[in-house]
Amino acid sequence: YRMLLLGTTMNCGGGPTPWSTWVTCEESQFRSGNAFQVDPFGAHPPQRMTMGDEGGTWESFAYDDRAETRPRFFMTEDHPYG
């Protein structure tokens, strides 16, 4: 194993993408966490993903590619009320 993403804290779950990268989710007490797309082979540097508002308490990532021309992507976020 080797570390491919540095400078994050409180990383939670994540998931694969259809193009063989991995999305890792970062939580934060102050809603300043991010989600990063990481190339598991290290050929491309990690990229911070943009999901509307800046920051969050991101928990996990998934996608549905049953409709090949219209894949759908999902992010979950922790919330203090459940």
Side-chain angles (χ1 to χ4, degrees):
Y1 297 103
R2 69 181 179 148
M3 190 175 300
L4 298 172
L5 180 64
L6 303 171
T8 62
T9 60
M10 296 177 64
N11 285 50
C12 275
T17 67
W19 43 88
S20 301
T21 60
W22 185 267
V23 173
T24 183
C25 298
E26 177 187 38
E27 292 187 67
S28 174
Q29 294 174 320
F30 306 107
R31 298 188 50 78
S32 60
N34 292 290
F36 295 89
Q37 182 174 206
V38 180
D39 174 8
F41 305 104
H44 303 283
Q47 297 177 315
R48 186 174 68 86
M49 297 174 63
T50 304
M51 279 89 48
D53 294 338
E54 292 294 322
T57 54
W58 306 112
E59 183 69 29
S60 195
F61 169 87
Y63 72 93
D64 178 355
D65 65 352
R66 289 176 289 181
E68 290 183 26
T69 60
R70 296 187 65 209
R72 291 180 167 84
F73 301 89
F74 304 91
M75 296 284 298
T76 59
E77 184 175 20
D78 280 348
H79 191 277
Y81 301 113

